[in-house]
Amino acid sequence: MTFDYDLFVIGGGSGGVRAGRVAAQTGAKVALAEEFRMGGTCVIRGCVPKKLMVFASHFAHANDDASAYGWDISVGDFSWSAFTTKLHAELDRLEGVYGRILANNDVETFHQRATVKDPHTVVLADGQEFSAKHILVATGGHPVVPDIPGKELAITSNDIFWLPELPKSILIVGGGYIASEFAGILNGLGVAVTQVYRGEQILRGFDDEAREIIAAGMRERGVDLHVCQNVKELRKMDDGIEAVLEDGTATTYGQVMYATGRRPNTGGMGLEAAGVQLDHGGAVVVDKYSQTAVPSIFAIGDVTNRVNLTPVAIREGMAFVDTVFNGTPTPVDHALIPSAVFTQPEFGTVGLTEAEAAAQEPIEVYSTSFKPMNHAFAGREDRVLMKLVVSKANRTVLGAHIVADGAGEMIQMVGIAVKMGATKEDFDRTVAVHPTMAEELVTMKAPVRST
Ligand code: NDP
Protein backbone atom coordinates (compact mmCIF):
# COMPACT_ATOMS: atom_id res chain seq x y z
CA MET A 1 0.00 0.00 0.00
CA THR A 2 1.31 3.45 -0.83
CA PHE A 3 0.71 6.45 1.40
CA ASP A 4 0.77 10.19 0.76
CA TYR A 5 3.34 10.50 3.56
CA ASP A 6 5.60 8.24 5.59
CA LEU A 7 4.84 10.40 8.63
CA PHE A 8 2.13 12.91 9.44
CA VAL A 9 2.88 14.91 12.60
CA ILE A 10 -0.02 16.66 14.32
CA GLY A 11 1.28 19.56 16.41
CA GLY A 12 4.14 21.98 15.75
CA GLY A 13 5.56 22.29 19.26
CA SER A 14 9.00 21.30 20.49
CA GLY A 15 8.38 17.55 20.22
CA GLY A 16 6.50 17.52 16.93
CA VAL A 17 8.89 19.84 15.10
CA ARG A 18 11.95 17.88 16.26
CA ALA A 19 10.45 14.52 15.32
CA GLY A 20 9.26 15.82 11.94
CA ARG A 21 12.63 17.33 11.07
CA VAL A 22 14.72 14.36 12.16
CA ALA A 23 12.39 11.88 10.45
CA ALA A 24 12.66 13.90 7.21
CA GLN A 25 16.46 13.80 7.53
CA THR A 26 16.26 9.99 7.29
CA GLY A 27 14.67 10.41 3.85
CA ALA A 28 11.08 9.97 5.01
CA LYS A 29 8.31 12.02 3.37
CA VAL A 30 6.91 14.08 6.23
CA ALA A 31 4.01 16.50 6.75
CA LEU A 32 3.16 18.51 9.86
CA ALA A 33 -0.05 20.34 10.78
CA GLU A 34 -0.25 23.09 13.42
CA GLU A 35 -3.49 24.93 14.13
CA PHE A 36 -1.99 27.90 15.99
CA ARG A 37 1.60 29.10 15.84
CA MET A 38 4.69 27.05 15.00
CA GLY A 39 6.76 26.51 18.14
CA GLY A 40 3.94 25.40 20.42
CA THR A 41 3.48 26.09 24.10
CA CYS A 42 7.16 26.31 25.03
CA VAL A 43 8.10 28.91 22.44
CA ILE A 44 4.89 30.87 22.05
CA ARG A 45 3.23 30.89 25.51
CA GLY A 46 5.45 28.97 27.89
CA CYS A 47 9.11 28.50 28.70
CA VAL A 48 10.57 31.13 26.36
CA PRO A 49 8.36 34.18 27.08
CA LYS A 50 8.23 33.12 30.75
CA LYS A 51 12.04 33.08 31.03
CA LEU A 52 12.30 36.48 29.31
CA MET A 53 9.81 37.78 31.89
CA VAL A 54 11.94 36.27 34.65
CA PHE A 55 14.93 38.20 33.30
CA ALA A 56 12.85 41.40 33.11
CA SER A 57 11.64 40.96 36.67
CA HIS A 58 15.15 40.54 38.10
CA PHE A 59 16.07 44.14 37.46
CA ALA A 60 14.07 45.46 40.38
CA HIS A 61 16.30 43.54 42.81
CA ALA A 62 19.42 44.07 40.73
CA ASN A 63 18.96 47.80 41.11
CA ASP A 64 18.54 47.53 44.89
CA ASP A 65 21.64 45.36 45.05
CA ALA A 66 23.60 47.81 42.90
CA SER A 67 22.93 50.60 45.41
CA ALA A 68 24.11 48.32 48.21
CA TYR A 69 27.34 47.77 46.25
CA GLY A 70 27.94 51.51 46.01
CA TRP A 71 26.40 52.38 42.66
CA ASP A 72 24.45 55.59 42.46
CA ILE A 73 21.35 54.20 40.78
CA SER A 74 18.05 55.83 40.12
CA VAL A 75 15.41 53.59 38.65
CA GLY A 76 12.59 54.65 36.40
CA ASP A 77 9.37 52.76 35.81
CA PHE A 78 9.09 49.44 34.06
CA SER A 79 7.32 49.79 30.73
CA TRP A 80 5.17 46.74 30.04
CA SER A 81 4.45 47.93 26.51
CA ALA A 82 8.16 48.46 25.69
CA PHE A 83 8.89 44.97 27.03
CA THR A 84 6.01 43.18 25.33
CA THR A 85 6.70 44.86 21.97
CA LYS A 86 10.20 43.38 22.05
CA LEU A 87 8.92 40.11 23.48
CA HIS A 88 6.42 39.58 20.69
CA ALA A 89 8.99 40.50 18.05
CA GLU A 90 11.26 37.83 19.53
CA LEU A 91 8.46 35.25 19.55
CA ASP A 92 7.66 36.10 15.91
CA ARG A 93 11.33 35.56 15.08
CA LEU A 94 11.40 32.18 16.82
CA GLU A 95 8.17 31.12 15.15
CA GLY A 96 9.82 31.93 11.81
CA VAL A 97 12.89 29.89 12.78
CA TYR A 98 10.70 26.86 13.52
CA GLY A 99 8.86 27.24 10.21
CA ARG A 100 12.15 27.52 8.31
CA ILE A 101 13.64 24.46 10.06
CA LEU A 102 10.74 22.43 8.71
CA ALA A 103 10.84 23.97 5.22
CA ASN A 104 14.63 23.53 4.94
CA ASN A 105 14.21 19.85 5.74
CA ASP A 106 11.40 19.37 3.21
CA VAL A 107 8.68 18.88 5.80
CA GLU A 108 5.41 20.03 4.26
CA THR A 109 3.47 22.17 6.73
CA PHE A 110 -0.25 22.86 7.01
CA HIS A 111 -1.36 25.80 9.16
CA GLN A 112 -4.63 24.31 10.27
CA ARG A 113 -6.16 21.83 12.67
CA ALA A 114 -5.75 18.15 11.87
CA THR A 115 -7.67 15.20 13.29
CA VAL A 116 -7.35 11.46 12.93
CA LYS A 117 -9.91 9.63 10.80
CA ASP A 118 -8.50 6.11 11.02
CA PRO A 119 -5.11 4.46 11.74
CA HIS A 120 -3.64 5.80 8.49
CA THR A 121 -5.73 8.88 7.64
CA VAL A 122 -5.48 12.49 8.77
CA VAL A 123 -8.19 15.06 7.98
CA LEU A 124 -7.46 18.79 7.89
CA ALA A 125 -9.93 21.49 8.92
CA ASP A 126 -10.42 22.49 5.27
CA GLY A 127 -11.53 18.94 4.43
CA GLN A 128 -8.33 17.67 2.78
CA GLU A 129 -7.49 14.08 3.66
CA PHE A 130 -4.05 12.50 3.60
CA SER A 131 -2.90 8.96 4.14
CA ALA A 132 0.20 8.33 6.23
CA LYS A 133 2.14 5.20 7.11
CA HIS A 134 2.66 6.64 10.61
CA ILE A 135 0.84 9.37 12.50
CA LEU A 136 2.54 11.17 15.39
CA VAL A 137 0.27 12.98 17.84
CA ALA A 138 2.19 15.83 19.50
CA THR A 139 -0.64 18.20 20.33
CA GLY A 140 0.45 19.22 23.84
CA GLY A 141 -1.93 20.43 26.53
CA HIS A 142 -3.93 23.42 27.69
CA PRO A 143 -4.52 25.13 31.05
CA VAL A 144 -7.65 24.24 32.99
CA VAL A 145 -9.65 26.41 35.37
CA PRO A 146 -11.82 24.60 37.92
CA ASP A 147 -15.56 24.96 37.66
CA ILE A 148 -16.33 27.76 40.10
CA PRO A 149 -18.84 30.61 39.69
CA GLY A 150 -17.15 33.41 37.73
CA LYS A 151 -14.40 31.18 36.28
CA GLU A 152 -14.70 33.03 32.95
CA LEU A 153 -13.29 36.15 34.67
CA ALA A 154 -9.96 34.44 35.30
CA ILE A 155 -7.00 34.50 32.94
CA THR A 156 -4.44 31.70 32.53
CA SER A 157 -0.77 31.62 31.57
CA ASN A 158 -1.94 31.67 27.92
CA ASP A 159 -3.26 35.21 28.40
CA ILE A 160 -0.62 36.75 30.59
CA PHE A 161 1.74 37.71 27.74
CA TRP A 162 -1.11 39.45 25.91
CA LEU A 163 -2.39 41.76 28.65
CA PRO A 164 -2.57 45.32 27.26
CA GLU A 165 -1.26 46.55 30.60
CA LEU A 166 -0.02 45.08 33.85
CA PRO A 167 -2.61 45.13 36.63
CA LYS A 168 -1.80 46.93 39.89
CA SER A 169 -2.71 43.77 41.77
CA ILE A 170 -3.22 40.12 40.89
CA LEU A 171 -4.45 37.00 42.63
CA ILE A 172 -2.67 33.85 41.46
CA VAL A 173 -4.43 30.59 42.25
CA GLY A 174 -2.39 27.37 42.46
CA GLY A 175 0.86 26.20 43.98
CA GLY A 176 2.56 24.43 41.06
CA TYR A 177 5.33 25.50 38.68
CA ILE A 178 3.33 28.07 36.76
CA ALA A 179 1.61 29.76 39.70
CA SER A 180 4.82 30.01 41.71
CA GLU A 181 6.93 31.22 38.79
CA PHE A 182 4.46 33.94 37.82
CA ALA A 183 4.06 35.05 41.42
CA GLY A 184 7.78 35.89 41.42
CA ILE A 185 7.77 37.41 37.95
CA LEU A 186 4.83 39.74 38.50
CA ASN A 187 6.03 40.68 41.96
CA GLY A 188 9.38 41.64 40.44
CA LEU A 189 7.62 43.72 37.79
CA GLY A 190 5.89 45.75 40.48
CA VAL A 191 2.47 44.09 40.63
CA ALA A 192 1.05 43.47 44.14
CA VAL A 193 0.85 39.66 44.08
CA THR A 194 -1.33 37.47 46.27
CA GLN A 195 -0.96 33.71 45.77
CA VAL A 196 -3.49 31.27 47.14
CA TYR A 197 -2.76 27.55 47.35
CA ARG A 198 -5.15 24.89 48.64
CA GLY A 199 -2.47 22.63 50.21
CA GLU A 200 -0.09 23.14 53.11
CA GLN A 201 2.94 24.12 51.07
CA ILE A 202 3.51 25.16 47.44
CA LEU A 203 5.33 22.95 44.90
CA ARG A 204 3.88 19.65 46.06
CA GLY A 205 6.00 16.72 44.94
CA PHE A 206 9.30 18.54 45.33
CA ASP A 207 11.71 18.24 48.27
CA ASP A 208 10.08 19.58 51.45
CA GLU A 209 13.11 21.50 52.67
CA ALA A 210 13.44 23.21 49.29
CA ARG A 211 9.73 24.06 49.27
CA GLU A 212 10.04 25.74 52.66
CA ILE A 213 13.01 27.86 51.60
CA ILE A 214 11.38 28.86 48.29
CA ALA A 215 8.12 29.86 50.02
CA ALA A 216 10.05 31.86 52.63
CA GLY A 217 12.11 33.55 49.88
CA MET A 218 8.98 34.44 47.90
CA ARG A 219 7.36 35.98 50.97
CA GLU A 220 10.59 37.81 51.79
CA ARG A 221 10.52 39.37 48.30
CA GLY A 222 6.95 40.54 48.74
CA VAL A 223 4.60 37.81 47.50
CA ASP A 224 1.56 37.59 49.79
CA LEU A 225 1.35 33.79 49.87
CA HIS A 226 -1.60 32.07 51.54
CA VAL A 227 -1.71 28.29 51.94
CA CYS A 228 -4.58 26.00 53.01
CA GLN A 229 -6.92 28.36 51.20
CA ASN A 230 -8.91 28.31 47.98
CA VAL A 231 -11.19 30.52 45.92
CA LYS A 232 -14.92 29.84 46.08
CA GLU A 233 -16.22 32.40 43.64
CA LEU A 234 -15.14 35.26 41.36
CA ARG A 235 -17.32 38.33 40.82
CA LYS A 236 -17.00 41.20 38.35
CA MET A 237 -16.75 44.57 40.10
CA ASP A 238 -16.36 48.10 38.72
CA ASP A 239 -12.78 48.26 39.91
CA GLY A 240 -11.67 44.71 39.13
CA ILE A 241 -12.48 41.13 40.07
CA GLU A 242 -13.58 40.19 43.56
CA ALA A 243 -12.34 36.82 44.79
CA VAL A 244 -14.31 35.20 47.58
CA LEU A 245 -12.20 32.68 49.47
CA GLU A 246 -13.48 29.56 51.20
CA ASP A 247 -13.08 31.28 54.58
CA GLY A 248 -15.51 33.97 53.36
CA THR A 249 -13.01 36.82 52.97
CA ALA A 250 -13.41 38.83 49.77
CA THR A 251 -10.79 41.02 48.08
CA THR A 252 -10.80 42.82 44.74
CA TYR A 253 -7.85 42.40 42.38
CA GLY A 254 -6.98 43.90 39.00
CA GLN A 255 -6.66 40.38 37.55
CA VAL A 256 -7.07 36.81 38.73
CA MET A 257 -4.84 34.18 37.16
CA TYR A 258 -5.47 30.47 37.52
CA ALA A 259 -2.53 28.06 37.20
CA THR A 260 -4.27 24.92 38.38
CA GLY A 261 -2.84 22.37 36.03
CA ARG A 262 -3.03 21.41 32.37
CA ARG A 263 -4.90 18.78 30.37
CA PRO A 264 -3.81 16.96 27.21
CA ASN A 265 -5.16 18.24 23.88
CA THR A 266 -7.04 15.14 22.77
CA GLY A 267 -10.63 16.45 22.64
CA GLY A 268 -12.30 16.08 19.23
CA MET A 269 -9.17 14.52 17.71
CA GLY A 270 -10.88 11.30 16.63
CA LEU A 271 -8.30 9.28 18.53
CA GLU A 272 -10.59 6.95 20.46
CA ALA A 273 -12.69 6.22 17.38
CA ALA A 274 -9.48 5.23 15.59
CA GLY A 275 -8.68 2.78 18.41
CA VAL A 276 -6.22 4.89 20.45
CA GLN A 277 -6.61 4.47 24.20
CA LEU A 278 -6.89 7.55 26.43
CA ASP A 279 -6.51 7.54 30.22
CA HIS A 280 -9.03 9.03 32.68
CA GLY A 281 -7.43 12.49 32.27
CA GLY A 282 -7.59 12.34 28.47
CA ALA A 283 -3.88 11.59 27.95
CA VAL A 284 -2.84 9.25 25.14
CA VAL A 285 -1.71 5.92 26.58
CA VAL A 286 1.61 4.85 25.04
CA ASP A 287 4.23 2.18 25.65
CA LYS A 288 7.93 2.83 26.25
CA TYR A 289 8.40 3.46 22.52
CA SER A 290 5.61 6.09 22.51
CA GLN A 291 3.43 3.71 20.50
CA THR A 292 -0.33 3.79 21.12
CA ALA A 293 -2.79 0.87 21.03
CA VAL A 294 -2.90 1.49 17.25
CA PRO A 295 0.47 0.33 15.87
CA SER A 296 0.68 3.09 13.21
CA ILE A 297 -0.10 5.92 15.69
CA PHE A 298 2.49 7.24 18.14
CA ALA A 299 2.29 10.12 20.64
CA ILE A 300 4.93 12.23 22.37
CA GLY A 301 5.11 15.19 24.75
CA ASP A 302 2.50 16.65 27.09
CA VAL A 303 -0.36 14.91 25.25
CA THR A 304 0.90 11.68 26.85
CA ASN A 305 1.22 13.28 30.31
CA ARG A 306 4.42 11.46 31.20
CA VAL A 307 6.96 14.11 32.23
CA ASN A 308 5.62 17.39 30.88
CA LEU A 309 8.80 19.21 29.98
CA THR A 310 10.06 20.43 26.60
CA PRO A 311 13.40 18.57 26.65
CA VAL A 312 11.53 15.37 27.47
CA ALA A 313 9.16 15.84 24.51
CA ILE A 314 12.22 16.37 22.30
CA ARG A 315 13.84 13.18 23.64
CA GLU A 316 10.62 11.29 23.04
CA GLY A 317 10.52 12.63 19.46
CA MET A 318 14.12 11.56 18.78
CA ALA A 319 13.51 8.11 20.28
CA PHE A 320 10.39 7.75 18.11
CA VAL A 321 12.43 8.49 14.97
CA ASP A 322 15.14 6.02 16.00
CA THR A 323 12.50 3.38 16.64
CA VAL A 324 10.41 3.88 13.50
CA PHE A 325 12.76 5.32 10.88
CA ASN A 326 16.26 4.24 11.93
CA GLY A 327 15.47 0.62 12.76
CA THR A 328 16.71 0.99 16.35
CA PRO A 329 13.92 0.42 18.87
CA THR A 330 14.70 3.07 21.50
CA PRO A 331 12.77 3.30 24.74
CA VAL A 332 12.61 6.73 26.33
CA ASP A 333 14.68 7.07 29.48
CA HIS A 334 12.59 9.05 31.98
CA ALA A 335 14.87 8.40 34.96
CA LEU A 336 16.76 11.18 36.76
CA ILE A 337 15.56 14.13 34.69
CA PRO A 338 17.06 17.36 36.04
CA SER A 339 14.72 20.33 35.99
CA ALA A 340 14.45 23.91 37.14
CA VAL A 341 11.59 25.91 38.55
CA PHE A 342 12.14 29.60 37.85
CA THR A 343 10.70 30.79 41.08
CA GLN A 344 12.43 33.65 42.84
CA PRO A 345 14.49 32.19 44.53
CA GLU A 346 15.29 29.76 41.73
CA PHE A 347 15.14 25.99 42.20
CA GLY A 348 17.06 23.17 40.52
CA THR A 349 16.36 19.54 41.27
CA VAL A 350 17.25 16.04 40.13
CA GLY A 351 16.38 12.62 41.48
CA LEU A 352 14.53 11.66 44.62
CA THR A 353 13.26 13.98 47.32
CA GLU A 354 14.36 13.22 50.88
CA ALA A 355 10.92 11.75 51.64
CA GLU A 356 10.89 9.54 48.52
CA ALA A 357 14.40 8.27 49.16
CA ALA A 358 13.71 7.59 52.86
CA ALA A 359 10.65 5.56 51.88
CA GLN A 360 12.82 3.49 49.54
CA GLU A 361 15.94 2.77 51.63
CA PRO A 362 18.13 3.99 54.51
CA ILE A 363 19.64 7.36 53.59
CA GLU A 364 21.92 10.14 54.76
CA VAL A 365 20.99 13.75 54.13
CA TYR A 366 23.68 16.36 53.56
CA SER A 367 22.16 19.79 53.59
CA THR A 368 23.22 23.35 54.23
CA SER A 369 21.25 26.56 54.14
CA PHE A 370 22.97 29.92 54.34
CA LYS A 371 22.94 33.54 53.26
CA PRO A 372 25.25 33.70 50.23
CA MET A 373 28.00 36.27 50.09
CA ASN A 374 26.39 38.51 47.47
CA HIS A 375 23.01 38.61 49.23
CA ALA A 376 24.56 39.17 52.65
CA PHE A 377 26.61 42.10 51.32
CA ALA A 378 23.51 43.60 49.72
CA GLY A 379 21.52 43.16 52.92
CA ARG A 380 19.09 40.64 51.43
CA GLU A 381 17.58 37.97 53.66
CA ASP A 382 17.33 35.28 50.94
CA ARG A 383 18.82 31.95 51.87
CA VAL A 384 20.39 29.35 49.65
CA LEU A 385 19.92 25.56 49.95
CA MET A 386 22.42 22.93 48.82
CA LYS A 387 21.23 19.41 49.53
CA LEU A 388 22.27 15.89 48.65
CA VAL A 389 20.27 12.78 49.49
CA VAL A 390 22.60 9.78 49.68
CA SER A 391 22.01 6.01 49.77
CA LYS A 392 23.52 4.46 52.90
CA ALA A 393 23.92 1.13 51.17
CA ASN A 394 26.03 2.14 48.17
CA ARG A 395 26.68 5.88 48.77
CA THR A 396 24.99 6.87 45.48
CA VAL A 397 23.59 10.40 45.37
CA LEU A 398 19.89 9.69 44.92
CA GLY A 399 18.78 13.30 44.75
CA ALA A 400 20.20 16.83 44.60
CA HIS A 401 18.20 19.95 45.41
CA ILE A 402 19.47 23.49 45.00
CA VAL A 403 17.72 26.76 45.83
CA ALA A 404 19.96 29.62 44.72
CA ASP A 405 20.49 32.21 42.02
CA GLY A 406 21.47 30.18 38.96
CA ALA A 407 20.17 26.89 40.41
CA GLY A 408 18.82 25.93 36.97
CA GLU A 409 22.30 26.24 35.47
CA MET A 410 23.91 24.37 38.40
CA ILE A 411 21.51 21.44 38.34
CA GLN A 412 22.26 20.75 34.67
CA MET A 413 25.86 19.96 35.68
CA VAL A 414 24.97 18.11 38.89
CA GLY A 415 22.46 16.14 36.81
CA ILE A 416 25.31 14.63 34.76
CA ALA A 417 27.05 13.36 37.87
CA VAL A 418 23.84 11.98 39.36
CA LYS A 419 22.87 10.35 36.06
CA MET A 420 26.33 8.72 35.96
CA GLY A 421 25.65 7.25 39.40
CA ALA A 422 28.10 9.43 41.32
CA THR A 423 28.57 8.63 45.00
CA LYS A 424 28.90 11.13 47.82
CA GLU A 425 32.63 10.31 47.82
CA ASP A 426 32.85 11.24 44.11
CA PHE A 427 31.42 14.64 45.01
CA ASP A 428 33.90 14.90 47.93
CA ARG A 429 36.88 14.01 45.70
CA THR A 430 36.07 17.00 43.50
CA VAL A 431 37.94 20.16 44.52
CA ALA A 432 35.74 23.10 45.45
CA VAL A 433 35.46 26.13 43.21
CA HIS A 434 35.96 29.06 45.55
CA PRO A 435 34.26 31.35 46.40
CA THR A 436 30.99 30.06 45.01
CA MET A 437 27.71 28.86 46.46
CA ALA A 438 27.96 25.53 44.65
CA GLU A 439 31.21 24.61 46.41
CA GLU A 440 29.04 23.53 49.33
CA LEU A 441 27.99 20.56 47.20
CA VAL A 442 31.51 19.11 47.52
CA THR A 443 32.37 20.27 51.04
CA MET A 444 29.50 18.98 53.18
CA LYS A 445 31.27 16.66 55.62
CA ALA A 446 28.68 15.27 58.04
CA PRO A 447 25.09 14.26 57.40
CA VAL A 448 22.43 16.41 59.06
CA ARG A 449 20.02 13.48 59.19
CA SER A 450 20.21 9.78 58.76
CA THR A 451 17.51 7.12 58.60
P1 NDP B 1 0.88 21.79 38.30
O1 NDP B 1 0.23 20.47 38.15
O2 NDP B 1 2.35 21.89 38.51
O3 NDP B 1 0.18 22.59 39.48
C1 NDP B 1 -1.20 22.75 39.57
C2 NDP B 1 -1.51 23.47 40.87
O4 NDP B 1 -2.87 23.81 40.92
C3 NDP B 1 -1.22 22.60 42.09
O5 NDP B 1 -0.72 23.43 43.09
C4 NDP B 1 -2.59 22.05 42.42
O6 NDP B 1 -2.77 21.75 43.79
C5 NDP B 1 -3.47 23.23 42.07
N1 NDP B 1 -4.83 22.85 41.75
C6 NDP B 1 -5.25 21.86 40.94
N2 NDP B 1 -6.59 21.84 40.86
C7 NDP B 1 -7.04 22.82 41.68
C8 NDP B 1 -8.33 23.29 42.04
N3 NDP B 1 -9.43 22.72 41.57
N4 NDP B 1 -8.41 24.33 42.89
C9 NDP B 1 -7.29 24.89 43.40
N5 NDP B 1 -6.04 24.50 43.09
C10 NDP B 1 -5.93 23.47 42.25
O7 NDP B 1 0.42 22.59 37.01
P2 NDP B 1 0.91 23.93 36.35
O8 NDP B 1 -0.30 24.47 35.68
O9 NDP B 1 1.62 24.81 37.32
O10 NDP B 1 2.01 23.42 35.30
C11 NDP B 1 1.70 22.41 34.34
C12 NDP B 1 2.92 21.64 33.94
O11 NDP B 1 3.71 22.44 33.10
C13 NDP B 1 3.83 21.25 35.08
O12 NDP B 1 3.47 20.02 35.66
C14 NDP B 1 5.18 21.16 34.42
O13 NDP B 1 5.42 19.86 33.97
C15 NDP B 1 5.08 22.12 33.27
N6 NDP B 1 5.85 23.34 33.53
C16 NDP B 1 7.20 23.27 33.75
C17 NDP B 1 7.94 24.39 34.04
C18 NDP B 1 9.39 24.28 34.30
O14 NDP B 1 9.99 23.24 33.99
N7 NDP B 1 10.04 25.28 34.89
C19 NDP B 1 7.32 25.71 34.08
C20 NDP B 1 5.89 25.69 33.86
C21 NDP B 1 5.22 24.53 33.60
P3 NDP B 1 -2.29 20.36 44.42
O15 NDP B 1 -0.82 20.45 44.61
O16 NDP B 1 -3.03 20.32 45.73
O17 NDP B 1 -2.72 19.30 43.48
Side-chain angles (χ1 to χ4, degrees):
M1 185 175 170
T2 56
F3 296 98
D4 295 325
Y5 296 101
D6 298 311
L7 173 66
F8 202 109
V9 182
I10 307 180
S14 309
V17 168
R18 178 64 66 91
R21 165 170 71 87
V22 180
Q25 285 168 348
T26 70
K29 190 172 181 217
V30 181
L32 184 149
E34 165 59 50
E35 66 178 330
F36 187 54
R37 293 176 66 182
M38 217 54 89
T41 296
C42 175
V43 175
I44 303 298
R45 43 184 144 50
C47 326
V48 172
K50 180 274 304 284
K51 189 80 189 278
L52 290 169
M53 281 181 82
V54 169
F55 289 135
S57 70
H58 278 169
F59 287 99
H61 276 296
N63 285 319
D64 291 345
D65 287 0
S67 315
Y69 277 87
W71 289 90
D72 179 11
I73 295 268
S74 61
V75 187
D77 278 343
F78 170 69
S79 165
W80 174 247
S81 74
F83 171 70
T84 49
T85 301
K86 269 202 89 174
L87 174 73
H88 291 301
E90 176 62 3
L91 301 186
D92 291 346
R93 187 186 71 80
L94 291 172
E95 184 183 5
V97 168
Y98 272 72
R100 278 195 300 282
I101 285 174
L102 293 173
N104 293 344
N105 285 282
D106 297 324
V107 176
E108 201 171 334
T109 51
F110 297 94
H111 292 274
Q112 51 182 311
R113 184 171 168 78
T115 56
V116 173
K117 184 176 174 190
D118 63 44
H120 291 287
T121 311
V122 167
V123 187
L124 298 185
D126 68 3
Q128 291 183 82
E129 282 190 16
F130 296 104
S131 63
K133 188 168 183 198
H134 296 99
I135 296 170
L136 180 66
V137 180
T139 47
H142 62 276
V144 282
V145 178
D147 216 2
I148 56 155
K151 66 180 269 196
E152 67 286 351
L153 299 170
I155 59 167
T156 68
S157 58
N158 280 358
D159 311 302
I160 197 86
F161 311 109
W162 294 98
L163 292 177
E165 55 190 28
L166 276 182
K168 291 205 165 27
S169 63
I170 191 164
L171 172 67
I172 298 182
V173 185
Y177 284 79
I178 296 179
S180 305
E181 290 184 339
F182 276 98
I185 290 168
L186 295 169
N187 176 59
L189 295 180
V191 180
V193 176
T194 304
Q195 184 181 355
V196 161
Y197 171 53
R198 65 182 178 181
E200 283 180 5
Q201 185 55 282
I202 57 168
L203 298 172
R204 183 167 64 81
F206 291 102
D207 186 81
D208 290 338
E209 211 176 343
R211 295 164 73 197
E212 291 294 330
I213 289 188
I214 294 164
M218 287 171 65
R219 288 191 171 107
E220 169 67 29
R221 289 171 190 225
V223 175
D224 185 18
L225 171 61
H226 298 262
V227 294
C228 299
Q229 190 57 269
N230 209 347
V231 177
K232 200 165 64 175
E233 183 179 354
L234 298 177
R235 295 186 193 135
K236 179 93 194 87
M237 311 298 275
D238 288 343
D239 55 346
I241 300 161
E242 185 182 63
V244 185
L245 301 188
E246 280 173 349
D247 66 4
T249 54
T251 310
T252 300
Y253 301 92
Q255 292 283 357
V256 175
M257 175 177 149
Y258 264 76
T260 45
R262 297 172 61 86
R263 292 248 171 79
N265 286 331
T266 48
M269 287 282 303
L271 291 167
E272 280 177 299
V276 172
Q277 206 187 323
L278 304 183
D279 71 13
H280 61 280
V284 178
V285 178
V286 289
D287 68 8
K288 61 183 178 179
Y289 300 106
S290 299
Q291 191 170 29
T292 72
V294 178
S296 58
I297 303 181
F298 289 69
I300 56 166
D302 288 8
V303 77
T304 63
N305 195 26
R306 286 177 280 181
V307 180
N308 298 335
L309 300 171
T310 278
V312 176
I314 290 172
R315 284 294 169 102
E316 290 167 356
M318 305 281 278
F320 157 76
V321 173
D322 281 341
T323 301
V324 174
F325 294 97
N326 287 329
T328 316
T330 306
V332 184
D333 179 5
H334 287 110
L336 296 173
I337 295 168
S339 69
V341 187
F342 294 99
T343 39
Q344 299 176 36
E346 192 171 308
F347 181 33
T349 180
V350 62
L352 300 181
T353 67
E354 180 179 342
E356 286 167 344
Q360 172 183 295
E361 62 184 276
I363 55 162
E364 282 181 357
V365 176
Y366 295 82
S367 170
T368 176
S369 172
F370 56 95
K371 245 195 239 177
M373 188 199 256
N374 61 340
H375 292 186
F377 191 86
R380 274 208 253 159
E381 291 302 318
D382 280 3
R383 297 186 78 76
V384 152
L385 174 74
M386 298 284 160
K387 176 168 180 175
L388 298 176
V389 179
V390 177
S391 162
K392 258 189 183 168
N394 59 18
R395 309 294 298 152
T396 305
V397 175
L398 301 171
H401 311 283
I402 301 174
V403 180
D405 288 350
E409 305 289 346
M410 290 182 216
I411 207 68
Q412 181 68 81
M413 301 295 120
V414 175
I416 299 170
V418 173
K419 187 79 183 163
M420 289 175 76
T423 61
K424 175 69 170 62
E425 284 62 38
D426 290 326
F427 275 71
D428 294 348
R429 281 191 297 120
T430 307
V431 174
V433 178
H434 185 74
T436 64
M437 296 180 280
E439 68 181 304
E440 298 292 333
L441 289 169
V442 298
T443 55
M444 290 186 283
K445 291 282 173 265
V448 292
R449 280 182 295 284
S450 174
T451 62

